[in-house]
mmCIF file of all heavy atoms in Angstrom:
data_model
loop_
_atom_site.group_PDB
_atom_site.id
_atom_site.type_symbol
_atom_site.label_atom_id
_atom_site.label_comp_id
_atom_site.label_asym_id
_atom_site.label_seq_id
_atom_site.Cartn_x
_atom_site.Cartn_y
_atom_site.Cartn_z
ATOM 1 N N GLY A 12 79.658 64.532 -248.096
ATOM 2 C CA GLY A 12 79.339 65.883 -247.660
ATOM 3 C C GLY A 12 79.135 66.871 -248.780
ATOM 4 O O GLY A 12 78.648 67.985 -248.548
ATOM 5 N N ALA A 13 79.490 66.500 -250.016
ATOM 6 C CA ALA A 13 79.289 67.406 -251.137
ATOM 7 C C ALA A 13 77.805 67.719 -251.298
ATOM 8 O O ALA A 13 76.951 66.852 -251.142
ATOM 9 C CB ALA A 13 79.843 66.780 -252.415
ATOM 10 N N GLN A 14 77.477 68.967 -251.613
ATOM 11 C CA GLN A 14 76.088 69.383 -251.697
ATOM 12 C C GLN A 14 75.399 68.818 -252.939
ATOM 13 O O GLN A 14 75.964 68.757 -254.023
ATOM 14 C CB GLN A 14 75.993 70.916 -251.723
ATOM 15 C CG GLN A 14 76.341 71.574 -250.390
ATOM 16 C CD GLN A 14 75.357 71.177 -249.294
ATOM 17 O OE1 GLN A 14 74.165 71.445 -249.408
ATOM 18 N NE2 GLN A 14 75.857 70.551 -248.241
ATOM 19 N N ILE A 15 74.160 68.382 -252.754
ATOM 20 C CA ILE A 15 73.328 67.830 -253.817
ATOM 21 C C ILE A 15 72.011 68.601 -253.799
ATOM 22 O O ILE A 15 71.530 69.022 -252.745
ATOM 23 C CB ILE A 15 73.076 66.322 -253.573
ATOM 24 C CG1 ILE A 15 74.391 65.548 -253.673
ATOM 25 C CG2 ILE A 15 72.068 65.768 -254.552
ATOM 26 C CD1 ILE A 15 74.973 65.466 -255.056
ATOM 27 N N ASP A 16 71.423 68.799 -254.966
ATOM 28 C CA ASP A 16 70.221 69.634 -255.052
ATOM 29 C C ASP A 16 68.990 68.979 -254.445
ATOM 30 O O ASP A 16 68.134 69.662 -253.883
ATOM 31 C CB ASP A 16 69.932 69.977 -256.519
ATOM 32 C CG ASP A 16 70.974 70.925 -257.098
ATOM 33 O OD1 ASP A 16 71.580 71.679 -256.309
ATOM 34 O OD2 ASP A 16 71.180 70.903 -258.321
ATOM 35 N N THR A 17 68.864 67.656 -254.555
ATOM 36 C CA THR A 17 67.651 66.997 -254.088
ATOM 37 C C THR A 17 67.993 65.767 -253.263
ATOM 38 O O THR A 17 69.075 65.192 -253.391
ATOM 39 C CB THR A 17 66.760 66.555 -255.267
ATOM 40 O OG1 THR A 17 67.413 65.493 -255.974
ATOM 41 C CG2 THR A 17 66.489 67.715 -256.218
ATOM 42 N N ILE A 18 67.036 65.353 -252.446
ATOM 43 C CA ILE A 18 67.212 64.163 -251.630
ATOM 44 C C ILE A 18 67.368 62.934 -252.515
ATOM 45 O O ILE A 18 68.156 62.029 -252.220
ATOM 46 C CB ILE A 18 66.021 63.997 -250.647
ATOM 47 C CG1 ILE A 18 66.182 62.751 -249.771
ATOM 48 C CG2 ILE A 18 64.705 63.917 -251.385
ATOM 49 C CD1 ILE A 18 67.301 62.832 -248.788
ATOM 50 N N THR A 19 66.657 62.897 -253.641
ATOM 51 C CA THR A 19 66.767 61.752 -254.547
ATOM 52 C C THR A 19 68.177 61.632 -255.097
ATOM 53 O O THR A 19 68.757 60.539 -255.153
ATOM 54 C CB THR A 19 65.758 61.892 -255.705
ATOM 55 O OG1 THR A 19 64.437 61.909 -255.170
ATOM 56 C CG2 THR A 19 65.887 60.723 -256.678
ATOM 57 N N GLU A 20 68.778 62.756 -255.498
ATOM 58 C CA GLU A 20 70.144 62.731 -256.010
ATOM 59 C C GLU A 20 71.123 62.273 -254.941
ATOM 60 O O GLU A 20 72.073 61.527 -255.218
ATOM 61 C CB GLU A 20 70.542 64.117 -256.526
ATOM 62 C CG GLU A 20 69.825 64.535 -257.797
ATOM 63 C CD GLU A 20 70.233 65.923 -258.236
ATOM 64 O OE1 GLU A 20 71.249 66.431 -257.721
ATOM 65 O OE2 GLU A 20 69.543 66.505 -259.079
ATOM 66 N N ALA A 21 70.914 62.708 -253.708
ATOM 67 C CA ALA A 21 71.809 62.310 -252.625
ATOM 68 C C ALA A 21 71.719 60.810 -252.365
ATOM 69 O O ALA A 21 72.726 60.141 -252.133
ATOM 70 C CB ALA A 21 71.486 63.091 -251.355
ATOM 71 N N ILE A 22 70.507 60.268 -252.413
ATOM 72 C CA ILE A 22 70.332 58.831 -252.202
ATOM 73 C C ILE A 22 71.029 58.052 -253.305
ATOM 74 O O ILE A 22 71.761 57.090 -253.045
ATOM 75 C CB ILE A 22 68.833 58.476 -252.140
ATOM 76 C CG1 ILE A 22 68.206 59.023 -250.844
ATOM 77 C CG2 ILE A 22 68.629 56.972 -252.219
ATOM 78 C CD1 ILE A 22 66.706 58.869 -250.770
ATOM 79 N N LEU A 23 70.813 58.463 -254.546
ATOM 80 C CA LEU A 23 71.415 57.749 -255.669
ATOM 81 C C LEU A 23 72.933 57.879 -255.670
ATOM 82 O O LEU A 23 73.656 56.923 -255.975
ATOM 83 C CB LEU A 23 70.840 58.274 -256.981
ATOM 84 C CG LEU A 23 69.344 57.991 -257.216
ATOM 85 C CD1 LEU A 23 68.871 58.650 -258.497
ATOM 86 C CD2 LEU A 23 69.078 56.499 -257.252
ATOM 87 N N ALA A 24 73.447 59.070 -255.313
ATOM 88 C CA ALA A 24 74.893 59.293 -255.337
ATOM 89 C C ALA A 24 75.620 58.482 -254.285
ATOM 90 O O ALA A 24 76.808 58.173 -254.423
ATOM 91 C CB ALA A 24 75.188 60.779 -255.133
ATOM 92 N N SER A 25 74.901 58.118 -253.218
ATOM 93 C CA SER A 25 75.554 57.405 -252.120
ATOM 94 C C SER A 25 75.227 55.927 -252.099
ATOM 95 O O SER A 25 75.595 55.225 -251.152
ATOM 96 C CB SER A 25 75.124 58.018 -250.782
ATOM 97 O OG SER A 25 73.732 57.850 -250.575
ATOM 98 N N GLU A 26 74.548 55.426 -253.124
ATOM 99 C CA GLU A 26 74.125 54.026 -253.131
ATOM 100 C C GLU A 26 75.325 53.107 -252.967
ATOM 101 O O GLU A 26 76.268 53.134 -253.757
ATOM 102 C CB GLU A 26 73.430 53.705 -254.458
ATOM 103 C CG GLU A 26 72.715 52.366 -254.461
ATOM 104 C CD GLU A 26 71.421 52.404 -253.664
ATOM 105 O OE1 GLU A 26 70.739 53.438 -253.685
ATOM 106 O OE2 GLU A 26 71.112 51.387 -253.018
ATOM 107 N N PRO A 27 75.347 52.257 -251.912
ATOM 108 C CA PRO A 27 76.480 51.356 -251.716
ATOM 109 C C PRO A 27 76.504 50.261 -252.762
ATOM 110 O O PRO A 27 75.465 49.870 -253.292
ATOM 111 C CB PRO A 27 76.254 50.794 -250.307
ATOM 112 C CG PRO A 27 74.779 50.899 -250.091
ATOM 113 C CD PRO A 27 74.329 52.117 -250.848
ATOM 114 N N GLN A 28 77.701 49.764 -253.050
ATOM 115 C CA GLN A 28 77.866 48.727 -254.053
ATOM 116 C C GLN A 28 77.972 47.353 -253.377
ATOM 117 O O GLN A 28 78.491 47.239 -252.272
ATOM 118 C CB GLN A 28 79.129 48.992 -254.881
ATOM 119 C CG GLN A 28 79.127 50.347 -255.581
ATOM 120 C CD GLN A 28 77.968 50.507 -256.539
ATOM 121 O OE1 GLN A 28 77.737 49.637 -257.366
ATOM 122 N NE2 GLN A 28 77.240 51.606 -256.421
ATOM 123 N N GLY A 29 77.510 46.321 -254.065
ATOM 124 C CA GLY A 29 77.634 44.970 -253.535
ATOM 125 C C GLY A 29 76.546 44.641 -252.536
ATOM 126 O O GLY A 29 75.685 45.452 -252.218
ATOM 127 N N ASN A 30 76.599 43.432 -252.024
ATOM 128 C CA ASN A 30 75.604 42.961 -251.077
ATOM 129 C C ASN A 30 75.986 43.338 -249.651
ATOM 130 O O ASN A 30 77.162 43.341 -249.287
ATOM 131 C CB ASN A 30 75.446 41.442 -251.171
ATOM 132 C CG ASN A 30 74.893 41.010 -252.521
ATOM 133 O OD1 ASN A 30 74.026 41.684 -253.087
ATOM 134 N ND2 ASN A 30 75.410 39.904 -253.041
ATOM 135 N N ALA A 31 74.960 43.633 -248.831
ATOM 136 C CA ALA A 31 75.216 43.954 -247.431
ATOM 137 C C ALA A 31 75.765 42.725 -246.715
ATOM 138 O O ALA A 31 75.356 41.598 -246.982
ATOM 139 C CB ALA A 31 73.933 44.427 -246.754
ATOM 140 N N GLU A 32 76.704 42.951 -245.790
ATOM 141 C CA GLU A 32 77.270 41.841 -245.043
ATOM 142 C C GLU A 32 76.996 42.020 -243.561
ATOM 143 O O GLU A 32 76.655 43.113 -243.101
ATOM 144 C CB GLU A 32 78.789 41.758 -245.266
ATOM 145 C CG GLU A 32 79.555 42.945 -244.711
ATOM 146 C CD GLU A 32 81.059 42.802 -244.907
ATOM 147 O OE1 GLU A 32 81.469 42.046 -245.797
ATOM 148 O OE2 GLU A 32 81.802 43.456 -244.162
ATOM 149 N N ARG A 33 77.120 40.951 -242.813
ATOM 150 C CA ARG A 33 76.886 41.004 -241.376
ATOM 151 C C ARG A 33 77.994 41.808 -240.705
ATOM 152 O O ARG A 33 79.177 41.538 -240.891
ATOM 153 C CB ARG A 33 76.846 39.586 -240.801
ATOM 154 C CG ARG A 33 76.620 39.530 -239.298
ATOM 155 C CD ARG A 33 76.414 38.080 -238.870
ATOM 156 N NE ARG A 33 76.188 37.983 -237.450
ATOM 157 C CZ ARG A 33 77.149 37.702 -236.569
ATOM 158 N NH1 ARG A 33 78.381 37.496 -236.993
ATOM 159 N NH2 ARG A 33 76.876 37.609 -235.288
ATOM 160 N N LEU A 34 77.614 42.813 -239.920
ATOM 161 C CA LEU A 34 78.580 43.610 -239.182
ATOM 162 C C LEU A 34 78.660 43.082 -237.761
ATOM 163 O O LEU A 34 77.652 42.948 -237.073
ATOM 164 C CB LEU A 34 78.164 45.087 -239.159
ATOM 165 C CG LEU A 34 78.071 45.778 -240.519
ATOM 166 C CD1 LEU A 34 77.689 47.233 -240.330
ATOM 167 C CD2 LEU A 34 79.382 45.679 -241.262
ATOM 168 N N LEU A 35 79.857 42.783 -237.305
ATOM 169 C CA LEU A 35 80.034 42.238 -235.961
ATOM 170 C C LEU A 35 79.974 43.333 -234.916
ATOM 171 O O LEU A 35 80.497 44.429 -235.106
ATOM 172 C CB LEU A 35 81.386 41.525 -235.867
ATOM 173 C CG LEU A 35 81.582 40.323 -236.795
ATOM 174 C CD1 LEU A 35 82.985 39.770 -236.625
ATOM 175 C CD2 LEU A 35 80.551 39.248 -236.520
ATOM 176 N N ASP A 36 79.308 43.040 -233.795
ATOM 177 C CA ASP A 36 79.372 43.940 -232.651
ATOM 178 C C ASP A 36 80.771 43.867 -232.037
ATOM 179 O O ASP A 36 81.509 42.901 -232.208
ATOM 180 C CB ASP A 36 78.349 43.541 -231.589
ATOM 181 C CG ASP A 36 76.937 43.932 -231.999
ATOM 182 O OD1 ASP A 36 76.809 44.730 -232.951
ATOM 183 O OD2 ASP A 36 75.986 43.437 -231.381
ATOM 184 N N GLU A 37 81.104 44.912 -231.229
ATOM 185 C CA GLU A 37 82.451 44.969 -230.656
ATOM 186 C C GLU A 37 82.770 43.759 -229.795
ATOM 187 O O GLU A 37 83.882 43.242 -229.809
ATOM 188 C CB GLU A 37 82.601 46.258 -229.841
ATOM 189 C CG GLU A 37 82.830 47.500 -230.680
ATOM 190 C CD GLU A 37 81.572 48.008 -231.355
ATOM 191 O OE1 GLU A 37 80.497 47.456 -231.093
ATOM 192 O OE2 GLU A 37 81.666 48.956 -232.143
ATOM 193 N N ASP A 38 81.769 43.268 -229.056
ATOM 194 C CA ASP A 38 82.050 42.121 -228.178
ATOM 195 C C ASP A 38 82.260 40.848 -228.966
ATOM 196 O O ASP A 38 82.764 39.857 -228.437
ATOM 197 C CB ASP A 38 80.908 41.934 -227.174
ATOM 198 C CG ASP A 38 79.620 41.481 -227.834
ATOM 199 O OD1 ASP A 38 79.265 42.056 -228.883
ATOM 200 O OD2 ASP A 38 78.968 40.567 -227.310
#
């Protein structure tokens, strides 16, 4: 939620680390 001046900075600041994993549905 911290304010960032540009959309590019926000994307870079929030870049997740590691490889994406399978997310299980609730069922």
Side-chain angles (χ1 to χ4, degrees):
Q14 289 296 299
I15 295 290
D16 291 334
T17 69
I18 180 68
T19 299
E20 290 179 14
I22 290 173
L23 294 176
S25 64
E26 191 75 36
Q28 302 300 310
N30 295 322
E32 66 178 22
R33 179 173 180 263
L34 298 182
L35 298 178
D36 285 346
E37 282 76 5
D38 68 315

